[in-house]
Amino acid sequence: MTGGAGFIGTHVVRSLRDAGHDVTIVDVGHPAAHRAPLPATVAGVPVDRVDLRDPTAVTAALSGVEVVVHQAAMVGLGVDLDDLPEYVGCNDLGTAVLLSRMARAGVSRLVLASSMVVYGEGRYACSRHGAVRPGPRSADDLAGGRFEATCPVCAAPLASDLVTEDAALDPRSVYAATKVAQEHLTAAWARQTGGSVTALRYHNVYGPGMPRDTPYSGVAAIFRSALAAGRSPRVFEDGRQRRDFVHVSDVAAANLAAVAATGRGPGWRAYNVASGRPATIGEMAAELAAATGGPPPTVTGEFRLGDVRHVVASPARAEAELGFRAAVGLAEGVAGFATAPLRG
C-alpha cells in the first residue's frame, strides 16, 4: 500500500486488515498531506518512509508483495504553478518508478487511485446537437456570473448527465493532468507486462481524517474548518455545481472489492467510485452547517479557473463488475463527519 498513512490510505489499510490481508505500508510523509510526523503504525502495521522516486527503496518494499494498492499522490489544485514540478515528480515519476520495479519483481496486479478530475467537465447534452463536450469556461464568463457550460456549437444551455468510464479524458488542472498520465502509464505497463490494473476514479471523497484547511484539501474539509472557527462556509460560484460526494468508508470498500477481484484477468479497466446520489456544493455546505449548528453558507460568486461545473458519475460498472455499491448517504455521512476528527 503506497500512501498508506494518508487520509484515504489509512481507511483502506484498516479495511484490508479487517478482511484478513497482510499489508505493507509505504509513505513519504509529504507535507502537502502530512503536517505532523508520520505515525509509527496504521491499524497495527508499521509505516515505512519510502519515496517512490527511489528505485532501491521501492524494490525492497516489493519483496513478497502480490498486489500493489497505489494511493500515494499529491492532490487538489495546489497553490500555484510553482507546485507543478512536485505534482509531476510525486504523481508521475513516482508511479513510473513503481511500475518499473513491479515489472522487475514480477508483481502483476495494481489497484490505482485515480480521480474524477480526469474527465474535466462531466457529460452534457444540447437539445439541438445531442451529446457535446463544452470547452473550458472563460474568465470573463465566470466573472460575469455566467457559470453554466454552454453548447460549443450554438451556445445554448446544456443539460448535465451521468458520466461513464468510457468518456473522453479532458484534464483541466495540473493535478488532473498528472492523474491522466498515471492512467496512461499504468495502461502501457499492463500491455507490456500482461499485468492487471484496476483504476478507481474517486469522486469527491470526504470523511474522518481529512486534512484540515490547506490548498490541497477537499471542499468538505475546507467547509468543516470554517465552521469549527465559527465562520460561514464560503461557497464559490452560485453553489449549484453538481458533484458526487462519496464517503471514505465506501472508498475503502471499493479498494477491498478491487483487491478481491482476482478473476478479472490481465488488462486495464477503470471504475467510477461514487455514491450515485449527486448533490450540489451548496447542499454539502448547508448539510454541514446544519449538522454542526454553525452559520449557514455564504455564496460568494468567486471562482477558480481550474474548477469545472458539473461532474456526476454513473456507478453502474463498479456494481456490475466489482460488486461495489456505496452504502453511506450524504445526510448520514455528513452527520458523522461534522464532529469527526480531522488530520492536523
Side-chain angles (χ1 to χ4, degrees):
M1 165 76 71
T2 74
F7 160 48
I8 295 174
T10 55
H11 289 269
V12 178
V13 168
R14 293 188 186 100
S15 180
L16 291 169
R17 289 281 286 168
D18 289 346
H21 292 284
D22 293 326
V23 181
T24 299
I25 298 173
V26 298
D27 199 304
V28 73
H30 197 287
H34 300 272
R35 288 177 173 172
L38 282 175
T41 62
V42 171
V45 180
V47 176
D48 294 328
R49 183 183 289 273
V50 171
D51 189 329
L52 294 183
R53 294 167 288 193
D54 180 348
T56 301
V58 173
T59 297
L62 288 170
S63 177
V65 167
E66 295 177 347
V67 183
V68 172
V69 181
H70 184 26
Q71 303 288 328
M74 280 185 69
V75 303
L77 286 180
V79 178
D80 53 37
L81 287 177
D82 286 345
D83 278 336
L84 198 158
E86 192 68 3
Y87 270 104
V88 173
C90 291
N91 297 0
D92 298 338
L93 177 58
T95 297
V97 172
L98 174 66
L99 294 172
S100 71
R101 297 302 91 187
M102 287 175 64
R104 182 69 63 86
V107 181
S108 62
R109 293 190 59 215
L110 176 71
V111 177
L112 172 68
S114 188
S115 171
M116 45 77 77
V117 298
V118 301
Y119 296 123
E121 287 285 354
R123 182 179 180 184
Y124 291 89
C126 173
S127 59
R128 291 179 57 194
H129 298 101
V132 294
R133 291 192 63 79
R137 299 176 296 166
S138 73
D140 286 344
D141 280 345
L142 293 168
R146 297 179 293 276
F147 301 122
E148 294 291 347
T150 57
C151 177
V153 181
C154 67
L158 298 175
S160 71
D161 201 353
L162 300 181
V163 64
T164 67
E165 292 87 349
D166 295 326
L169 306 186
D170 187 15
R172 298 190 177 183
S173 69
V174 168
Y175 170 55
T178 66
K179 298 309 283 187
V180 169
Q182 282 188 324
E183 290 200 356
H184 288 167
L185 288 167
T186 56
W189 174 87
R191 285 193 298 271
Q192 289 185 239
T193 65
S196 172
V197 178
T198 303
L200 302 178
R201 290 175 177 164
Y202 301 160
H203 284 251
N204 288 69
V205 186
Y206 73 99
M210 285 189 83
R212 295 185 186 278
D213 187 1
T214 79
Y216 312 95
S217 294
V219 67
I222 293 171
F223 291 160
R224 255 290 309 270
S225 295
L227 288 162
R231 302 191 307 270
S232 173
R234 295 176 60 80
V235 178
F236 281 13
E237 301 186 20
D238 58 3
R240 297 175 185 169
Q241 313 91 297
R242 296 173 71 229
R243 298 290 188 270
D244 192 311
F245 293 97
V246 58
H247 195 270
V248 68
S249 64
D250 283 325
V251 174
N255 277 271
L256 181 59
V259 169
T262 56
R264 192 177 64 77
W268 192 96
R269 190 76 162 157
Y271 298 90
N272 287 325
V273 175
S275 73
R277 298 177 289 272
T280 68
I281 299 285
E283 286 168 344
M284 162 58 89
E287 288 273 5
L288 261 177
T292 61
T298 299
V299 178
T300 68
E302 296 173 85
F303 62 89
R304 299 184 300 184
L305 280 176
D307 284 339
V308 295
R309 182 61 176 173
H310 304 300
V311 188
V312 294
S314 169
R317 180 186 288 180
E319 183 171 5
E321 297 184 12
L322 297 180
F324 164 73
R325 184 183 181 92
V328 181
L330 185 64
E332 175 192 355
V334 167
F337 176 59
T339 56
L342 298 181
R343 183 179 297 271

